[in-house]
Structure formats: structure tokens, C-alpha cells
Amino acid sequence: MKEHMVKPLFTEEEVDRKIRELAARISEDYAGRQLHLIGVLKGSVPFMAELAKRLTIPATMDFMSCSSYGGGTSSSGVVRLNKDLDESIEGRDVLLVEDIIDTGHTLSYLLNLLQDRKPASLKLAALLDKPSRRTCPVEVDYTCFKIPDVFVVGYGLDYDQLYRNLPYVGYVEFV
Ligand code: IMP
Ligand code: MG
């Protein structure tokens, strides 16, 4: 791990407010339906929990896990499925929940995998979106913040597995 400092990017209050707004939008968009939330372990956990708590529609949850990053801060571009879903998604309204969409490799892999299982609908929510880094064209349906090309941590996001538990979003400055 390189020597570094974590600087604040979005405060706990800002993140909470954005998630509440997003939850209200999603609740409105899915009014009268039941939503199946799928979290991508481990980074989506804090976002998924906060989002789920604020939804006013009935929701169920499942989780899957894959890896694209080794350690450190750069993507290998190769995605491997480590844990599959517990339940079938056929005929269900599915919302895939991720911490961040960066190159788009992970999400394009996961969206293809899920689409093949015939959900009634499939959309994507990511806490953060780094559009300038996209090499795989993936459309984000719901996001809280668009960010520049900085390496972010906190609120589920890690640097070598650290900082996931920070209640705010920060960025890493290497010294
Ligand atoms: P992608 O496949 O390049 O879109 O990368 C997706 C995954 O890379 C995310 O789920 C994160 O785990 C990780 N990632 C991408 N950018 C960052 C970052 O700025 N901080 C921490 N993790 C990141
Ligand atoms: Mg992740």
C-alpha cells in the first residue's frame, strides 16, 4: 500500500440526502410493484442498506460477488463470479445495486449475466459514477453523484479492503 491520505469529497449528510432523494424517485418509478434488489458484494452494502431503508415499496434482497480489481487502484478488466444469487430472478423487477461504475467492465458482465435469466425488468443503481473512465458502454439508471477521475473510498468503497466503513465518501491522495 502506497503512502496516502484520505480527503473528504461528500459528507455523510450529503450522501444521506442524495440516497433519500434517489429512494423517493425509485419508489415512485416502481409504484404498485415489488422490487428485487441485488447488491454486489462487498462495496454496495452500505449504499444498499440505506437505499432499501428509504424505499416505500415492498422490496426483497439478494447478493452476488465478483472480482475485477486485484488489489490497489487499477482494474484488470477481467471479471470473475465468486458468489452467485440465492434466488431465481425470472419474471421479477430487478435493481442491481453497485457502489461505483468506473470502466463499466464489472457491470456490463453482471448485467449480461442477469439479463440472460429473464427478469421482468433490469435496472442499475450506482452510488457513484465516473463517466470519464468508461471503456464499456453501460447505462446507469440511478446514481447519486457523478465524479471526476479520482480514487474514492468510504461508504463501501475500499483501498486494499480498508475504509469501507467510513460514513462519508473521500478520495485518496498519494503523497
Ligand atoms: P469497473 O469494472 O471498472 O467499472 O469497476 C468496478 C469496481 O471497481 C467497483 O465495483 C469498485 O469495486 C472498483 N472501483 C472502481 N473505481 C473505484 C474507486 O475510485 N475506488 C474504489 N474502488 C473502485
Ligand atoms: Mg465493487
Side-chain angles (χ1 to χ4, degrees), residues 69 98-100 102-106 130 150-152 157-158:
Y69 273 27
E98 243 297 36
D99 49 5
I100 189 167
D102 184 29
T103 64
H105 273 110
T106 311
K130 253 193 243 178
V150 289
F151 194 79
V152 282
L157 291 137
D158 73 298

Side-chain angles (χ1 to χ4, degrees), residues 153-169:
V153 292
Y155 228 95
L157 291 137
D158 73 298
Y159 174 39
D160 275 352
Q161 299 304 323
L162 272 176
Y163 306 123
R164 292 192 195 277
N165 60 316
L166 294 181
Y168 60 91
V169 176

Side-chain angles (χ1 to χ4, degrees), residues 105-156:
H105 273 110
T106 311
L107 285 167
S108 98
Y109 170 85
L110 291 178
L111 287 168
N112 281 327
L113 189 101
L114 297 178
Q115 197 60 64
D116 284 348
R117 300 180 184 182
K118 305 190 168 44
S121 69
L122 176 59
K123 286 194 175 184
L124 171 62
L127 176 67
L128 305 169
D129 182 10
K130 253 193 243 178
S132 65
R133 292 256 309 161
R134 203 81 89 250
T135 51
C136 256
V138 175
E139 218 183 292
V140 194
D141 302 287
Y142 302 104
T143 190
C144 289
F145 303 97
K146 277 199 181 14
I147 60 166
D149 185 11
V150 289
F151 194 79
V152 282
V153 292
Y155 228 95

Side-chain angles (χ1 to χ4, degrees), residues 24-44:
R25 238 182 85 201
I26 293 171
S27 300
E28 211 176 286
D29 291 354
Y30 289 88
R33 287 146 79 192
Q34 182 173 308
L35 188 57
H36 191 52
L37 301 167
I38 295 182
V40 184
L41 295 172
K42 311 184 229 351
S44 72

Side-chain angles (χ1 to χ4, degrees), residues 66-70 74-81 103 105-106 109:
C66 65
S67 39
S68 66
Y69 273 27
S74 64
S75 178
S76 64
V78 180
V79 185
R80 196 182 65 211
L81 188 65
T103 64
H105 273 110
T106 311
Y109 170 85

